[in-house]
Amino acid sequence: MVDSHLDTDAARRLEVVRLGHPTLRRVADAVPEQDFGSGRLVELGRDLVRTMFDEEGVGLAAPQVAEGLRLFAYWVPESDDQPAVEPTVLVNPEIRPVGEARVDGWEGCLSIPELRGIVPRFERLKVKAQTVEGEPVSFTADGFHARVIQHEYDHLDGIVFLDRMTSMESLAFEHEWQDFVLGNPTDGP
Ligand code: NI
């Protein structure tokens, strides 16, 4: 699902807004049909991908750069559990869980820096969306891929991962999370 328009050489690094910015709490607007393929939308997709990589995130939704539009960028690094998913931009996505199964997993968010918490998410999803050019895409996502999509999709509805935590007990600063959850002490502050 690599989109040829995701070449990030020309892309700009955008400012990521943090919790408290009102756009993060609004329901974003659908991208209008006439905007597909426009320079503005193609550039926004590219800029989201570049900014996501610069900030070392796995996903970034337009509301996180103060654009109240229904699109997000994400990627999935290769792991033992699943193959990599190349950087992808989904516009006007629709998601539907497949089955009832939910799994707990750790999440963080570029708009809520330094924090990690355990969030239950559906294990498997059907996803329908369009590319920035307006081409329809549909696929099934599992595991971490499904988690990333649910997290980013929530941003389009003004929801952040803290809202999805069933208990605040796991909430941890990244440094302490590294030390005590991963058991992998860091030298940082
Ligand atoms: Ni986020």
Side-chain angles (χ1 to χ4, degrees), residues 59 64 108-112 151-152 155 160-161:
Q64 294 183 271
C109 182
L110 294 176
S111 295
I112 310 170
H151 177 117
E152 298 312 321
H155 278 302
V160 298
F161 81 88

Side-chain angles (χ1 to χ4, degrees), residues 12-188:
R12 295 168 304 159
R13 181 176 188 160
L14 304 173
E15 186 196 345
V16 176
V17 300
R18 306 198 304 177
L19 201 62
H21 192 290
T23 306
L24 286 174
R25 288 307 201 172
R26 284 191 197 122
V27 176
D29 296 323
V31 172
E33 206 53 48
Q34 68 267 22
D35 287 5
F36 284 94
S38 68
R40 179 171 176 258
L41 188 65
V42 171
E43 275 169 33
L44 179 57
R46 262 197 314 235
D47 294 347
L48 284 171
V49 171
R50 170 166 175 195
T51 306
M52 170 180 77
F53 280 123
D54 283 358
E55 301 282 347
E56 299 182 350
V58 293
L60 186 63
Q64 294 183 271
V65 297
E67 291 277 357
L69 290 169
R70 298 187 78 81
L71 74 150
F72 58 75
Y74 74 96
W75 72 294
V76 176
E78 188 179 352
S79 69
D80 296 341
D81 301 333
Q82 61 188 162
V85 178
E86 296 295 318
T88 301
V89 175
L90 299 181
V91 186
N92 294 347
E94 295 169 41
I95 62 174
R96 188 162 53 81
V98 178
E100 304 277 301
R102 290 177 199 234
V103 278
D104 282 338
W106 287 96
E107 295 190 16
C109 182
L110 294 176
S111 295
I112 310 170
E114 310 273 302
L115 288 173
R116 292 282 186 276
I118 292 177
V119 184
R121 299 285 188 185
F122 289 108
E123 177 141 47
R124 176 172 275 204
L125 292 180
K126 284 256 189 218
V127 181
K128 278 174 132 182
Q130 287 170 276
T131 68
V132 292
E133 295 292 346
E135 286 155 29
V137 289
S138 67
F139 58 93
T140 303
D142 299 282
F144 187 67
H145 186 192
R147 173 172 300 278
V148 172
I149 289 174
Q150 287 167 91
H151 177 117
E152 298 312 321
Y153 183 92
D154 272 350
H155 278 302
L156 309 183
D157 286 339
I159 295 166
V160 298
F161 81 88
L162 302 174
D163 304 326
R164 297 293 194 189
M165 292 176 68
T166 48
S167 161
M168 286 291 145
E169 210 178 328
S170 64
L171 198 63
F173 286 104
E174 184 161 0
H175 180 81
E176 283 71 11
W177 179 75
Q178 294 271 354
D179 281 3
F180 299 112
V181 178
L182 298 189
N184 183 20
T186 54
D187 297 329

